[in-house]
Amino acid sequence: MDTLNKHLEPQRPPKQQSLLPFDQAMVSSLKINTGIEPDSKRVTSASEMTKHEDGQYFPINIRQVPGRGRGFFATRNIAQGETVLKAAPLAWTISEEWIKNVCLWCFECNYRRSYPIKARDVLMEATNSARVPDSANGGATQSNCQKGKRAGTQSAHYRGVFCSEDCRHRAVHAHGGQAKWECFVALFDSIYNEARAQKRHQNNARPTTKTSKSENSQPAIEISTAASVFGSTAEEQLSVGLFLDSEFDPDDISDEQLGRWIDMVWDMITESQMRFDVLLDSYHQDIVCLVANGLCLRSMTPILPVPDIEDPDCVVSRKFGDGDVAREEFLENIKTNETESLRAWLHHLYTESPPASGSASVPATIAPIRIPWKPTLSQIAHSRWGQAFGAAAASYALLERAWKTTARTHQLNELTHSQFRAVYYREKANSFGIWDPPPTYPTWSLQPGDNQERECIGFAIYPTAVYFNHSCAPNISKARSGRTMSFVSNRAICRDEELFISYGSVTEPVSERRSRLSEYFFFDCACDRCIEETAITVSAYASASAPAAAAAAKLRGEPQADV
Ligand SMILES: C[S@@+](CC[C@H](N)C(=O)[O-])C[C@H]1O[C@@H](n2cnc3c(N)ncnc32)[C@H](O)[C@@H]1O
């Protein structure tokens, strides 16, 4: 979404993010049980729900929109500057770069010095009752963990901090108490340890396998690995028929088929125990931490009923828990973009700009024609999808190793690739970058250069806020105060109007905006501004390019003539 920003692949992303209509089958596949018992104290009962001072809930509800899935709509007229939603994060992570300077709970950033209260202090508190004062540490205490480290026990790499005891207590409580917090910190520690070990290994061996941040980067997955994965898949797994049929049309393949094919590839990888020696960049390491946090938190929250979007009192219309912000306790309802990303790439593969005669400059996104061909393995591995897939597989490999290490000392069930993917592709598509200084209304405008003045200090998923669709002329702006994200109207909005944020900068020409959204968020933007500007763009070509005009008509939802 806005900052959904930081979700570009494979390099550390510029700006943004993505969701499918809710699928009941997905819920079952998501009943993640990591072995941590649900904490009944965390259930928010209906009686605990509070209303705004004026007795109103947030003035929004969710409706289905043709071509865009679900979206937020105004349930009454909204004045400019009104807060339409305040959301609390369900899962979050602070980037390693800022880990000692940003409070793990309130996201307060102190660039000048590290905060004194360490996440690990909490971890060791229960297991080592004796704590010694540390006069050199601003009055904070030094745990036996640190003493143990000097005594030669396994070194700890996770350096998360809190700005105050209050924040520490809130975080421990939110994670389900001391024992679960210890498990959570131990898991993060293992992730950091694994990542460092991998870095050392790579530096000693072949530094060239590093995931590059540049545009024409090395594939995140090595060609030889890709060949063994995609080779057998492409040749042998005919049930889906991907890549083999010269008449292949990506639109003829259902989500279910694509999903089966993806499942198959993941099964092959895990069954072959293929080792992904891909060095993850810091962005992907952040995402692994976010997924770990999501899996841990997910495992300790009760399975709540899925909201009925036709119900005017559905979950996002309420405000409850955690002060005065809306909080939804589950991830199931969030849209995954796993199959969408594959479909988008297939489209990219099988479409091409029309021939040069009179229409060379028509943007490819609005004038597709099919070119039947079969991509080579190298093309697959080098493709945006191949790279994204490689990064996902390497992320899973890293998390799985860390998970196993943690399971030796903490109660964790085995992690499966389905559980990982269910969280990974939801969080990756829907999380917001946490920018510092925080965006504040009304100055936050996402003009070019805005983000250059800010640091992306981490990522967070706000499940109540994932229903905002994108518009290149948004009527909602974001503002962050601590960990709370507020959504504020930037103009008067009429009852029943859809509410939009922008998933990044909206100042570029229409073709650039649309290809960026397509490339990184896997959708063809169907916002009013794009439709209007595309129609204008296309009318200039209309006489020369019938396919372009037809594509624009398709975009506008008009009946289509054959192209
Ligand atoms: C963060 S989600 C928004 C909620 C989503 N519509 C749902 O049903 O859950 C982003 C996804 O919504 C859809 N979407 C958002 N804005 C869109 C737009 N302007 N045009 C077309 N699809 C859009 C895309 O499928 C995108 O991946």
Side-chain angles (χ1 to χ4, degrees):
M1 314 216 311
D2 98 273
T3 341
L4 310 189
N5 286 354
K6 282 262 168 173
H7 287 171
L8 314 188
E9 311 234 32
Q11 69 275 28
R12 189 156 186 106
K15 7 233 155 216
Q16 272 80 27
Q17 147 194 343
S18 140
L19 306 195
L20 277 172
F22 179 64
D23 172 359
Q24 193 60 41
M26 190 55 84
V27 174
S28 346
S29 73
L30 266 170
K31 300 245 188 295
I32 295 160
N33 176 5
T34 54
I36 304 177
E37 288 302 308
D39 181 349
S40 55
K41 280 183 291 204
R42 298 190 72 244
V43 182
T44 311
S45 71
S47 60
E48 285 174 309
M49 292 171 198
T50 52
K51 294 182 180 178
H52 279 298
E53 311 73 58
D54 59 5
Q56 296 300 305
Y57 296 123
F58 290 120
I60 54 178
N61 63 13
I62 306 172
R63 298 179 201 165
Q64 286 285 353
V65 204
R68 287 197 285 269
R70 301 164 298 184
F72 271 138
F73 284 77
T75 54
R76 59 166 169 76
N77 290 343
I78 294 172
Q80 181 175 11
E82 259 193 77
T83 298
V84 300
L85 180 68
K86 274 189 178 185
L90 176 66
W92 63 94
T93 189
I94 302 299
S95 303
E96 187 173 15
E97 192 183 350
W98 303 108
I99 196 75
K100 290 195 261 183
N101 304 84
V102 177
C103 176
L104 271 177
W105 180 255
C106 71
F107 302 165
E108 189 62 37
C109 192
N110 186 337
Y111 289 104
R112 278 172 300 159
R113 67 185 185 91
S114 313
Y115 284 124
I117 302 169
K118 302 190 170 42
R120 296 189 54 81
D121 287 350
V122 182
L123 168 69
M124 300 311 294
E125 225 168 33
T127 47
N128 300 281
S129 50
R131 292 163 61 77
V132 294
D134 179 11
S135 52
N137 196 19
T141 55
Q142 183 188 41
S143 69
N144 281 357
C145 158
Q146 288 156 310
K147 291 197 293 177
K149 190 171 139 194
R150 279 198 293 272
T153 54
Q154 192 196 20
S155 63
H157 289 295
Y158 182 60
R159 311 239 185 258
V161 289
F162 295 106
C163 70
S164 69
E165 283 295 339
D166 183 48
C167 281
R168 176 165 81 153
H169 281 111
R170 283 167 184 264
V172 173
H173 176 72
H175 284 77
Q178 180 68 29
K180 289 169 185 169
W181 175 257
E182 286 186 19
C183 174
F184 167 75
V185 174
L187 181 59
F188 267 47
D189 216 31
S190 299
I191 293 171
Y192 275 55
N193 284 339
E194 283 288 344
R196 284 188 190 199
Q198 203 177 7
K199 249 172 235 168
R200 277 197 303 273
H201 176 74
Q202 294 279 337
N203 287 342
N204 293 341
R206 289 163 295 128
T208 48
T209 51
K210 186 180 191 308
T211 304
S212 165
K213 296 181 185 181
S214 67
E215 193 55 46
N216 294 314
S217 57
Q218 286 270 342
I221 180 170
E222 283 182 82
I223 303 298
S224 56
T225 311
S228 50
V229 171
F230 295 111
S232 54
T233 302
E235 310 303 326
E236 292 160 18
Q237 311 293 339
L238 302 177
S239 56
V240 181
L242 280 183
F243 309 132
L244 295 180
D245 182 357
S246 62
E247 297 301 312
F248 168 73
D249 180 346
D251 287 330
D252 289 343
I253 289 201
S254 66
D255 279 346
E256 208 190 356
Q257 283 173 304
L258 286 183
R260 276 209 303 275
W261 187 80
I262 294 171
D263 275 346
M264 220 161 47
V265 177
W266 277 93
D267 283 346
M268 284 170 48
I269 287 172
T270 40
E271 279 160 24
S272 69
Q273 304 205 317
M274 210 174 272
R275 192 179 161 94
F276 282 86
D277 278 328
V278 177
L279 186 56
L280 290 177
D281 61 15
S282 56
Y283 164 66
H284 284 97
Q285 195 181 314
D286 286 347
I287 295 300
V288 170
C289 291
L290 187 65
V291 173
N293 192 210
L295 283 163
C296 278
L297 286 164
R298 178 63 195 78
S299 69
M300 58 182 79
T301 55
I303 307 288
L304 294 184
V306 171
D308 173 3
I309 63 162
E310 300 302 328
D311 174 3
D313 204 22
C314 79
V315 69
V316 294
S317 299
R318 301 167 187 160
K319 71 179 193 142
F320 55 90
D322 212 4
D324 63 346
V325 296
R327 186 186 162 105
E328 198 177 335
E329 302 263 356
F330 51 94
L331 292 171
E332 287 89 338
N333 207 20
I334 299 176
K335 188 180 173 204
T336 167
N337 67 3
E338 189 176 26
T339 48
E340 238 167 43
S341 63
L342 177 56
R343 189 185 294 284
W345 173 64
L346 291 174
H347 267 283
H348 181 72
L349 265 184
Y350 285 86
T351 58
E352 196 186 60
S353 300
S357 57
S359 56
S361 55
V362 174
T365 46
I366 60 170
I369 58 164
R370 296 210 168 81
I371 46 158
W373 62 291
K374 179 178 167 184
T376 64
L377 296 177
S378 167
Q379 280 165 331
I380 296 176
H382 275 95
S383 72
R384 181 161 287 280
W385 183 80
Q387 292 192 36
F389 179 86
S395 300
Y396 172 63
L398 174 66
L399 183 56
E400 203 209 9
R401 285 200 298 273
W403 195 271
K404 277 188 179 140
T405 309
T406 311
R408 281 185 216 129
T409 46
H410 294 80
Q411 199 196 358
L412 285 176
N413 287 348
E414 195 187 344
L415 176 68
T416 65
H417 68 74
S418 311
Q419 291 167 342
F420 168 82
R421 286 158 52 208
V423 175
Y424 180 87
Y425 285 103
R426 282 179 169 77
E427 290 191 340
K428 201 149 179 288
N430 291 279
S431 56
F432 288 87
I434 311 168
W435 293 88
D436 195 81
T440 47
Y441 181 84
T443 50
W444 173 247
S445 54
L446 270 176
Q447 295 300 313
D450 269 2
N451 285 345
Q452 285 159 23
E453 306 300 320
R454 302 168 190 275
E455 295 290 349
C456 183
I457 56 175
F459 297 94
I461 180 110
Y462 292 83
T464 44
V466 300
Y467 308 97
F468 283 107
N469 283 320
H470 162 89
S471 166
C472 298
N475 49 13
I476 298 292
S477 301
K478 289 175 300 297
R480 180 173 69 79
S481 170
R483 54 195 272 106
T484 302
M485 194 71 83
S486 297
F487 298 85
V488 187
S489 54
N490 57 31
R491 63 165 172 78
I493 296 171
C494 295
R495 181 187 167 147
D496 295 328
E497 227 185 289
E498 186 170 354
L499 306 176
F500 295 101
I501 57 174
S502 69
Y503 300 177
S505 167
V506 292
T507 53
E508 303 86 1
V510 60
S511 57
E512 277 175 42
R513 297 196 311 268
R514 298 193 74 237
S515 54
R516 180 175 55 82
L517 290 164
S518 157
E519 191 171 354
Y520 296 117
F521 296 92
F522 316 120
F523 67 86
D524 286 330
C525 185
C527 78
D528 286 352
R529 185 176 159 201
C530 277
I531 291 176
E532 198 177 302
E533 291 179 12
T534 308
I536 292 165
T537 308
V538 170
S539 67
Y541 299 104
S543 55
S545 170
K554 182 179 174 189
L555 184 64
R556 290 192 295 270
E558 293 167 6
Q560 288 168 54
D562 288 339
V563 175

